[in-house]
Amino acid sequence: MWQKLQARLEQRKAQDLLRHRLTLEGAQGVRIQAEGKEYLNFSSNDYLGLANHPKLIEAMQRAAKQYGVGSGASHLIIGHSDQHHALEEEIADFLGAERALLFSTGYMANYGVLTCLPEKNDLIIQDKLNHASLIDGGMASAAKMLRYAHADMDSFERQMKQPADSRLVVTDGVFSMDGDIAPLPELVSSCNKHKASLMVDDAHGFGVLGEQGKGSLEHFGLAQQSAAIYMATLGKALGGFGAVVAGSELLIESLIQFGRSYIYTTAMPAAVAAANRAGLKLFQEEAWRRQQLKKNIDYFRRLASEHDIPLMPSETAIQPVLIGRNDKTLAISRALKEAGILLVAIRPPTVPENSARLRVTLTAEHSTDDIDFLLEKLSDELKQANAQV
Ligand SMILES: *Cc1c(COP(=O)(O)O)cnc(C)c1O
């Protein structure tokens, strides 16, 4: 095993695919401290600028004084506090769902749902570009998993024709590496027609899309109930940590009883739940953050097209610049870092072969000056890299 691992690592390195972790020396934000320098950050999912918000910090400090740090046990033993409970009720109320259930991470929520709900002879039908946690959950499930070409309704309808006792259709609300929004109206109407259930992973839509920030369903004017299973993460726009699954009483009670990734793990600290509650409150009180983010997205796209920077068809905070080759993507990312900009190169297997990209994520806290500076540098580096090839 060790020899094979050594070979795999060397192969990754030869393909410019080795990953490195940047060690931060301070809080998330538009400006972050790392390796003794300050960088302008365009790689964070902190879309609304809440990860370092004083109200979240205060909520966490206050709850830590009252509840301590460790939650001590899983939710089903003695780890479930009134902070967790209130957060679940507040999220269910916010979304207009019957009930909601907290998970420690989005990965565990997706994995738990797909491994415990569908059974043998059921079908899980997923978009090819769905998040890794959904694909992993689908592979580990007793149900058969089929995938359809990204956002392609013809390909989707072909998979829906396969025989099954029941069908669970699974899609990201906003695709994490492309930034486009799933064709939810078409998926909802087809699911209704075929009596299939829909699961939406709204990690990048929750808090950001829709007038009230309820996510990708609200964006299209669809009822919350049009997705039988709605998953959102709390570590992105909400600025906290963890995840939630929302839906019917039957869904949530089944997850509590049968969801192994829910049952067999320690509850998140109560202080984290308290910080999440403060983030949820800010979603509702400070709609200007969503509006500012939208303005920044529009400004970025307008200016990028003036600079002839090729963009992907995304109207969300995720604005990838497709480069293709791994070495070229890495070289541009490194040059930007030299210039004080953090724009992390996204390479296979996170994205398909030959589609390495610089994934710009915008937040409500970026100023037009920040965006000007990024696009000026990015445009220079793109021209240089293209001249070299
Ligand atoms: C981030 C993400 C997850 C995983 O959530 P974590 O809380 O980070 O584990 C799941 N799905 C999508 C689409 C994501 O972007």
Side-chain angles (χ1 to χ4, degrees):
M1 177 175 80
W2 301 115
Q3 244 172 357
K4 286 186 192 164
L5 282 173
Q6 194 66 40
R8 272 166 70 189
L9 284 176
E10 274 154 26
Q11 190 191 14
R12 269 221 157 166
K13 194 167 179 191
Q15 294 171 322
D16 286 310
L17 289 178
L18 212 57
R19 285 116 190 278
H20 296 279
R21 300 170 308 170
L22 183 75
T23 309
L24 302 191
E25 290 141 10
Q28 277 297 315
V30 162
R31 281 174 184 75
I32 55 176
Q33 204 69 34
E35 298 166 353
K37 270 178 73 176
E38 189 185 84
Y39 291 98
L40 181 55
N41 176 14
F42 281 100
S43 288
S44 171
N45 302 318
D46 180 26
Y47 299 122
L48 301 180
L50 299 182
N52 190 30
H53 192 286
K55 287 198 173 154
L56 273 77
I57 297 171
E58 195 204 314
M60 193 160 176
Q61 284 174 332
R62 207 184 323 187
K65 283 214 177 94
Q66 190 181 342
Y67 295 83
V69 175
S71 64
S74 67
H75 284 278
L76 295 192
I77 307 293
I78 36 101
H80 186 70
S81 74
D82 52 1
Q83 287 294 334
H84 299 109
H85 210 73
L87 175 59
E88 288 179 345
E89 288 180 348
E90 285 159 10
I91 291 180
D93 275 355
F94 172 63
L95 290 171
E98 251 174 53
R99 242 182 119 178
L101 187 71
L102 282 181
F103 280 77
S104 296
T105 70
Y107 189 103
M108 291 163 77
N110 283 339
Y111 195 88
V113 165
L114 293 185
T115 50
C116 94
L117 300 182
E119 299 180 28
K120 196 165 173 275
N121 301 327
D122 292 339
L123 268 184
I124 295 173
I125 301 177
Q126 302 214 35
D127 188 293
K128 272 216 163 127
L129 293 190
N130 276 354
H131 190 262
S133 52
L134 291 169
I135 304 299
D136 292 358
M139 286 197 296
S141 167
K144 185 173 169 192
M145 176 169 69
L146 297 173
R147 297 166 78 183
Y148 57 92
H150 175 52
D152 180 333
M153 290 307 291
D154 292 334
S155 169
F156 170 75
E157 291 293 344
R158 277 196 298 280
Q159 301 295 40
M160 289 290 274
K161 291 208 176 77
Q162 302 290 325
D165 286 354
S166 67
R167 294 174 182 77
L168 177 60
V169 173
V170 185
T171 184
D172 280 15
V174 175
F175 288 88
S176 51
M177 296 301 139
D178 290 52
D180 56 331
I181 305 175
L184 291 176
E186 290 85 349
L187 290 171
V188 167
S189 113
S190 179
C191 283
N192 288 342
K193 199 174 75 194
H194 292 282
K195 297 196 168 45
S197 302
L198 179 65
M199 172 177 185
V200 175
D201 171 345
D202 218 11
H204 300 277
F206 184 60
V208 174
L209 291 181
E211 206 158 307
Q212 294 174 273
K214 294 181 189 177
S216 54
L217 292 164
E218 190 196 0
H219 170 81
F220 286 112
L222 292 164
Q224 182 66 27
Q225 281 65 26
S226 42
I229 308 173
Y230 179 86
M231 197 288 296
T233 61
L234 310 177
K236 290 172 179 150
L238 187 125
F241 184 77
V244 69
V245 173
S248 65
E249 176 68 35
L250 176 61
L251 166 71
I252 300 307
E253 199 52 39
S254 303
L255 288 171
I256 294 173
Q257 301 304 325
F258 309 124
R260 295 171 66 89
S261 70
Y262 178 74
I263 299 166
Y264 298 107
T265 195
T266 301
M268 71 168 65
V272 173
N276 287 333
R277 293 178 70 193
L280 185 71
K281 218 159 157 236
L282 287 171
F283 272 13
Q284 298 167 81
E285 288 170 359
E286 302 196 354
W288 66 264
R289 291 179 182 273
R290 271 186 293 286
Q291 291 149 13
Q292 185 58 47
L293 176 60
K294 185 89 193 69
K295 278 187 202 155
N296 286 351
I297 296 166
D298 293 344
Y299 183 75
F300 173 88
R301 286 188 69 85
R302 186 152 36 86
L303 212 65
S305 80
E306 282 171 22
H307 279 288
D308 288 323
I309 294 174
L311 293 180
M312 293 175 64
S314 159
E315 49 183 307
T316 68
I318 301 167
Q319 292 290 332
V321 180
L322 193 64
I323 307 291
R325 284 175 47 169
N326 301 330
D327 54 353
K328 191 171 157 188
T329 313
L330 211 52
I332 299 174
S333 172
R334 284 191 182 134
L336 289 172
K337 194 175 164 203
E338 280 295 301
I341 296 171
L342 278 182
L343 181 51
V344 175
I346 308 282
R347 293 161 288 164
T350 305
V351 291
E353 290 295 330
N354 301 314
S355 74
R357 66 199 64 180
L358 297 160
R359 176 176 171 271
V360 176
T361 52
L362 297 163
T363 78
E365 306 260 283
H366 284 117
S367 68
T368 52
D369 281 352
D370 295 334
I371 297 170
D372 287 343
F373 185 64
L374 166 71
L375 287 172
E376 197 181 300
K377 293 289 171 199
L378 183 55
S379 163
D380 289 350
E381 292 305 330
L382 274 170
K383 278 182 200 139
Q384 268 196 33
N386 287 337
Q388 273 165 17
V389 172

